[in-house]
Amino acid sequence: MAYTILDTSNLEAYLFSLPQIKSFFNTDALLINEIGDGNLNFVFLVTSADDASKQLILKQAVPYLRCVGESYPLSKERMTYEIRSMERFSELSPHIPKIYHFDEEMSMIIMEYLGEHIIMRKGMIDGVKYPKFAEHISSFLAETLFKTSSLYLSSSEKRELTAQFIGNSELCKLTEDFVFTAPFMEHETNAELPELSDEAERITKDLELKTKILQLKHKFINRCDALIHGDLHTGSIMINEEETYVIDSEFAFVGPMGFDVGALIANLAMSWVSHTVLDETSDYADWILRTIEEVWQKFEKKFLQLWDETKESALFAKGFADTQIRKAYQEEYMLALLRESIGFAGCKIIRRQFGIAGVDDIRGIEDAQKREAANRLAIKIGERFIKEHNILNNINNAMTLIKA
Amino acid sequence: MAYTILDTSNLEAYLFSLPQIKSFFNTDALLINEIGDGNLNFVFLVTSADDASKQLILKQAVPYLRCVGESYPLSKERMTYEIRSMERFSELSPHIPKIYHFDEEMSMIIMEYLGEHIIMRKGMIDGVKYPKFAEHISSFLAETLFKTSSLYLSSSEKRELTAQFIGNSELCKLTEDFVFTAPFMEHETNAELPELSDEAERITKDLELKTKILQLKHKFINRCDALIHGDLHTGSIMINEEETYVIDSEFAFVGPMGFDVGALIANLAMSWVSHTVLDETSDYADWILRTIEEVWQKFEKKFLQLWDETKESALFAKGFADTQIRKAYQEEYMLALLRESIGFAGCKIIRRQFGIAGVDDIRGIEDAQKREAANRLAIKIGERFIKEHNILNNINNAMTLIKA
């Protein structure tokens, strides 16, 4: 169907025009609520008027940045990449909500409503522990990253996959600007934070830090390792104690693996900062540290297991490497991936302090002194992550940088 | 026009159907000679029957690998990438023959005949010095690599360029197989060289060498730095003492810059090996060494000059880095590029010893003992290039590896 902006006035008619959706609800009347609180899209929760248990989510992109308005145009085709990545991820991992319908022309996707899950960031702010999270997210990362890489796909499959996402230029540019650039210089989009002006000034001039950020930005632009989610923070995860789902993959493209692993580590680390500043004795902070470590350890183990099971790929021709050579290369590969993940995590942490988009874990701290303390601690961790990522030897080294 | 294989029976009629070609020749009769000696395509030299000075080259891809025949299918769409890259390179550098006409559907390009130039490899085998070569090729490399990279283009221009070449999967796969894989293992496509079987066996089992080859192959597959020629050896260069032209860019794609620089260094180094083995006192060998050094030095200087003139790019937002930060990053960047170029050069040298495609400089040595000595010397250089590329600090270190 040709692109039409959906709203509460036309949404019911549209949904009833889709046979599989009509039969899902099996009713004559729908309750419709706009519940989106993200920066980009409109999100509707649709409920059967007859049966409150029948609910679906409809997400549509509009041709501008929602949080700014029509004055900030952003092509609605970004939804194409969310649709394509959700489809691909669904084939590889159970940690993706069920998709009921999508329409690239309408820039629209209809999916399972996760009514018993909450945004992980909110749960973490409330100090809720998720005992299965490390297990789930490490599986998601290992399965999606490994199986969309040249370690698994054939040469032509890898290039076809890259081609499917190469058009997601606008959202890649947002990351280039807002993760790797603006927060590290004087820029009109940065948050107004006079209390951090000494830190901002110092960072803007730090030669070592900025050359390392350029190295990481160069990797982001010039590497095509695997299909990455592209925005895998705790706000893109729906969770409860039993289940974990990854959502909001409109930033997906074939890029550096470490960007997803790093996004996750960065956001867990910022939650740790928040809890540490708010309550030094908090055992929740310890749970977060253990979780970061476990996420990496389990991810590494699963990734290597998938690799060991793979007989042939673009990189590994049959018979090219014996077990010893493969193991040696794997060891180097995983260390490089850990290092780059920590580097990306550092950029993500610092950008959340100075940039346009903060995280509620820290910007939401009401006590101004504690908020500032959290900002400063996060900046320190981010800085060490960036400066020292290339000399880390294992995840424990990274943990030390957080706890120091 | 729909795809038709051109041959001496239908070529004249086809050429006369193209108005600009008809008017170029301004005659009723053409002399047509098939002169292709490459592995992939048919190449015709077309001459006006009335005026021998009016000559053009027509190159057409057929849907199989020419040197094997119809039993080795290879999509004729590869010519699309040669056409696109020739067009792009023409905009950036004068070292590309003039293009008169092309037709993507016909997988065909008509271009200037370089009657006063010869294939550089042949000239080098004959010991001809080309005093302007380093100047010319360093300009070609600097202009084409810099201006198709994220150091010059905007984020969206860079991704659009990448998209234009991402379909060149088949030829990328040929490189993956024949440069990075088959020559380093037992493989049916390798040359039968019983006299080198000890070296072949040793290399096949060398853990350090093979993990480094995997690193380099991973870069080839997963990096998209700039539009590269993809096969820039001395057989892809037409030259005389005054002029230098780059041809045969069907392997072009957006890949690692060092692959082009490395291809060139590898092929110059193999010519050095050949002349050194054939005549120890040869001053031609010294000219080659000086040329390798000059190519790198001039390339580096020109690349940095273009960079200094560039105010803004995908990587460098306006105002992000002051001069000091830019200079520090440039230094790291050029060192990494030199290292990776030498690494790629090492793979290219060794593959030319064991692989299906040798180079005439070495395989053409008639004396079997000298040929074997050249093979062994080339293998030694290639091996050190691969193993030590990551610890080189400047081009002199690389020169030492050749001369040692």
Side-chain angles (χ1 to χ4, degrees):
Chain A
M1 156 164 178
Y3 184 72
T4 318
I5 292 187
L6 296 168
D7 57 32
T8 46
S9 76
N10 60 7
L11 193 56
E12 186 177 275
Y14 173 70
L15 289 167
F16 283 150
S17 78
L18 304 169
Q20 74 279 39
I21 302 300
K22 182 154 178 55
S23 86
F24 172 88
F25 283 117
N26 192 25
T27 179
D28 290 328
L30 297 173
L31 306 173
I32 291 170
N33 282 299
E34 210 284 308
I35 57 164
D37 59 356
N39 297 323
L40 299 181
N41 305 304
F42 284 89
V43 182
F44 299 91
L45 170 59
V46 184
T47 310
S48 161
D50 300 337
D51 179 351
S53 76
K54 288 191 177 162
Q55 296 188 290
L56 290 177
I57 287 290
L58 182 146
K59 187 171 169 185
Q60 187 182 39
V62 288
Y64 50 85
L65 192 61
R66 183 189 173 168
C67 65
V68 180
E70 296 185 33
S71 65
Y72 196 112
L74 196 67
S75 129
K76 62 187 166 46
E77 281 64 39
R78 63 186 184 268
M79 182 57 79
T80 300
Y81 304 104
E82 176 161 353
I83 291 170
R84 290 184 190 169
S85 57
M86 291 283 276
E87 276 199 280
R88 187 78 176 211
F89 291 151
S90 298
E91 290 163 14
L92 302 173
S93 168
H95 299 288
I96 291 288
K98 187 164 183 252
I99 300 163
Y100 284 84
H101 184 73
F102 62 83
D103 186 328
E104 286 198 7
E105 257 189 272
M106 279 289 284
S107 297
M108 190 274 310
I109 187 165
I110 300 175
M111 60 187 137
E112 184 180 4
Y113 172 58
L114 301 167
E116 295 173 3
H117 307 73
I118 64 163
I119 291 286
M120 187 178 185
R121 189 182 305 286
K122 292 181 184 161
M124 289 192 78
I125 289 171
D126 294 340
V128 183
K129 291 178 188 168
Y130 297 105
K132 297 189 179 170
F133 170 70
E135 189 64 35
H136 291 161
I137 205 70
S138 59
S139 293
F140 174 81
L141 285 169
E143 283 154 3
T144 60
L145 296 178
F146 181 82
K147 289 191 173 172
T148 60
S149 77
S150 59
L151 305 172
Y152 180 78
L153 299 177
S154 74
S155 178
S156 63
E157 287 167 345
K158 176 74 194 334
R159 283 175 203 275
E160 276 160 31
L161 179 67
T162 306
Q164 277 179 40
F165 291 87
I166 194 85
N168 201 7
S169 226
E170 277 188 330
L171 294 208
C172 287
K173 176 78 162 80
L174 284 183
T175 302
E176 288 156 29
D177 289 348
F178 294 115
V179 176
F180 294 105
T181 309
F184 304 97
M185 62 189 280
E186 271 184 58
H187 201 276
E188 57 188 13
T189 62
N190 288 338
E192 290 260 358
L193 300 163
E195 71 277 20
L196 297 178
S197 60
D198 59 324
E199 287 287 61
E201 203 179 329
R202 190 177 57 75
I203 275 178
T204 300
K205 294 178 181 159
D206 187 324
L207 185 138
E208 186 194 351
L209 189 76
K210 291 188 77 164
T211 53
K212 291 217 157 61
I213 291 162
L214 285 166
Q215 285 170 11
L216 290 158
K217 186 178 177 186
H218 190 271
K219 282 187 184 179
F220 182 82
I221 298 177
N222 294 291
R223 281 261 301 282
C224 50
D225 293 349
L227 179 63
I228 66 173
H229 178 281
D231 194 28
L232 194 58
H233 56 80
T234 48
S236 297
I237 295 169
M238 296 288 290
I239 199 163
N240 61 30
E241 295 196 356
E242 293 302 320
E243 292 179 321
T244 306
Y245 289 100
V246 172
I247 59 169
D248 288 356
S249 58
E250 58 264 72
F251 283 84
F253 76 111
V254 176
M257 291 187 187
F259 195 74
D260 273 3
V261 181
L264 204 62
I265 292 176
N267 282 273
L268 295 174
M270 286 188 280
S271 179
W272 177 84
V273 165
S274 170
H275 284 281
T276 300
V277 164
L278 290 171
D279 175 8
E280 262 182 39
T281 63
S282 155
D283 82 319
Y284 192 66
D286 289 338
W287 176 79
I288 298 175
L289 288 185
R290 279 201 309 282
T291 299
I292 296 174
E293 230 177 316
E294 263 182 52
V295 166
W296 174 262
Q297 285 162 345
K298 285 174 187 282
F299 163 70
E300 184 176 40
K301 195 173 161 200
K302 290 170 188 175
F303 192 95
L304 288 173
Q305 196 173 332
L306 291 169
W307 195 338
D308 287 341
E309 288 163 14
T310 304
K311 298 277 171 275
E312 196 174 4
S313 66
L315 191 65
F316 277 78
K318 228 177 229 167
F320 180 81
D322 61 23
T323 308
Q324 211 191 350
I325 291 169
R326 194 181 72 243
K327 293 283 172 204
Y329 181 71
Q330 285 176 333
E331 204 170 302
E332 284 173 21
Y333 190 96
M334 296 314 290
L335 179 56
L337 180 49
L338 172 67
R339 288 176 172 178
E340 117 189 356
S341 300
I342 297 299
F344 285 129
C347 296
K348 294 217 143 211
I349 291 172
I350 296 188
R351 82 101 168 195
R352 293 292 196 175
Q353 311 314 309
F354 295 112
I356 187 171
V359 289
D360 278 348
D361 318 57
I362 292 178
R363 288 216 181 141
I365 295 174
E366 284 182 19
D367 179 321
Q369 271 193 315
K370 287 192 173 170
R371 189 171 60 242
E372 188 186 327
N375 284 138
R376 287 180 185 271
L377 179 53
I379 292 165
K380 192 167 288 173
I381 295 169
E383 198 175 338
R384 292 198 67 182
F385 272 15
I386 295 171
K387 286 185 175 169
E388 296 175 46
H389 75 278
N390 258 335
I391 53 171
L392 299 176
N393 287 315
N394 50 53
I395 186 69
N396 288 330
N397 293 163
M399 302 313 294
T400 308
L401 295 184
I402 301 176
K403 289 180 279 189
Chain B
M1 162 165 171
Y3 184 72
T4 319
I5 292 186
L6 296 167
D7 57 33
T8 44
S9 76
N10 59 6
L11 192 56
E12 186 178 271
Y14 173 70
L15 289 167
F16 283 148
S17 77
L18 305 169
Q20 74 278 39
I21 302 300
K22 182 154 176 57
S23 85
F24 172 87
F25 283 116
N26 191 26
T27 180
D28 291 327
L30 296 173
L31 306 173
I32 292 170
N33 282 300
E34 212 283 308
I35 58 164
D37 59 356
N39 297 324
L40 300 180
N41 305 303
F42 284 88
V43 181
F44 299 91
L45 170 60
V46 184
T47 310
S48 160
D50 299 335
D51 179 353
S53 75
K54 288 190 178 163
Q55 296 188 290
L56 290 177
I57 287 290
L58 183 147
K59 188 170 169 186
Q60 186 180 40
V62 287
Y64 50 85
L65 192 62
R66 184 191 172 167
C67 65
V68 181
E70 295 185 33
S71 65
Y72 196 113
L74 195 68
S75 130
K76 64 187 165 48
E77 281 65 37
R78 64 186 183 268
M79 182 58 77
T80 300
Y81 304 104
E82 176 162 354
I83 292 171
R84 289 184 190 171
S85 57
M86 291 283 275
E87 276 199 279
R88 187 79 175 209
F89 291 151
S90 298
E91 292 164 12
L92 300 173
S93 168
H95 299 288
I96 291 288
K98 188 164 184 251
I99 300 164
Y100 285 84
H101 184 73
F102 62 83
D103 185 329
E104 287 198 7
E105 256 189 273
M106 279 290 284
S107 298
M108 188 276 309
I109 186 165
I110 300 175
M111 62 188 133
E112 182 181 3
Y113 172 58
L114 300 167
E116 296 173 3
H117 307 73
I118 65 163
I119 291 285
M120 187 178 185
R121 189 182 306 286
K122 292 181 186 165
M124 289 192 77
I125 289 172
D126 293 340
V128 183
K129 292 176 189 170
Y130 297 104
K132 298 190 178 171
F133 170 70
E135 189 64 37
H136 292 162
I137 206 70
S138 59
S139 293
F140 174 81
L141 285 168
E143 282 154 3
T144 60
L145 295 179
F146 182 81
K147 290 193 172 170
T148 60
S149 78
S150 60
L151 304 172
Y152 179 78
L153 299 177
S154 74
S155 177
S156 62
E157 287 167 346
K158 175 77 193 332
R159 283 176 204 276
E160 276 159 31
L161 179 68
T162 308
Q164 278 179 38
F165 291 88
I166 193 84
N168 201 7
S169 226
E170 277 187 330
L171 292 210
C172 287
K173 176 80 162 79
L174 284 184
T175 302
E176 289 156 27
D177 289 349
F178 294 114
V179 176
F180 294 106
T181 309
F184 305 97
M185 61 190 282
E186 271 184 57
H187 201 276
E188 57 188 11
T189 63
N190 289 337
E192 291 262 359
L193 300 164
E195 70 276 21
L196 297 178
S197 61
D198 58 326
E199 287 288 60
E201 201 180 331
R202 190 176 57 75
I203 274 178
T204 301
K205 293 180 181 157
D206 188 324
L207 185 137
E208 186 194 351
L209 189 76
K210 292 190 77 165
T211 54
K212 291 218 156 61
I213 292 162
L214 285 166
Q215 285 169 13
L216 289 158
K217 185 178 177 186
H218 189 270
K219 283 188 184 179
F220 182 83
I221 298 177
N222 295 291
R223 280 261 300 285
C224 49
D225 292 351
L227 179 62
I228 66 173
H229 177 281
D231 195 28
L232 193 58
H233 55 80
T234 48
S236 297
I237 295 169
M238 296 290 288
I239 198 162
N240 61 29
E241 295 198 355
E242 293 302 320
E243 293 180 318
T244 307
Y245 290 100
V246 172
I247 60 168
D248 288 356
S249 58
E250 58 263 75
F251 283 84
F253 76 112
V254 176
M257 291 188 189
F259 195 72
D260 274 3
V261 182
L264 204 61
I265 293 176
N267 282 272
L268 294 174
M270 285 188 281
S271 179
W272 177 84
V273 165
S274 170
H275 284 280
T276 301
V277 165
L278 290 172
D279 174 10
E280 261 181 42
T281 62
S282 156
D283 82 320
Y284 192 67
D286 290 337
W287 176 79
I288 298 175
L289 288 185
R290 280 200 310 280
T291 299
I292 297 175
E293 231 176 315
E294 265 182 50
V295 167
W296 174 262
Q297 285 161 346
K298 285 173 186 281
F299 163 70
E300 185 176 41
K301 196 175 159 201
K302 291 170 189 177
F303 191 95
L304 288 172
Q305 196 173 331
L306 291 170
W307 195 336
D308 287 341
E309 288 162 14
T310 304
K311 299 276 172 276
E312 196 174 5
S313 66
L315 191 65
F316 277 79
K318 227 177 229 167
F320 180 81
D322 61 22
T323 308
Q324 210 190 351
I325 291 169
R326 194 183 71 242
K327 294 283 173 205
Y329 181 72
Q330 285 175 333
E331 203 171 304
E332 285 174 17
Y333 191 96
M334 296 314 291
L335 180 57
L337 180 49
L338 172 67
R339 287 175 173 178
E340 119 190 353
S341 300
I342 297 298
F344 285 129
C347 296
K348 292 215 142 209
I349 290 173
I350 297 188
R351 83 102 167 190
R352 293 292 196 173
Q353 310 316 309
F354 295 112
I356 188 172
V359 288
D360 278 348
D361 317 56
I362 293 177
R363 287 215 183 145
I365 295 174
E366 283 182 18
D367 178 321
Q369 270 192 313
K370 288 192 171 170
R371 188 170 61 242
E372 189 186 326
N375 285 138
R376 288 182 185 270
L377 178 53
I379 292 165
K380 193 168 288 173
I381 294 169
E383 197 175 339
R384 293 198 67 184
F385 272 14
I386 295 171
K387 286 185 175 169
E388 297 176 44
H389 75 278
N390 258 335
I391 53 169
L392 300 177
N393 288 316
N394 50 54
I395 185 70
N396 288 330
N397 293 163
M399 302 313 294
T400 308
L401 295 184
I402 300 176
K403 289 180 280 190

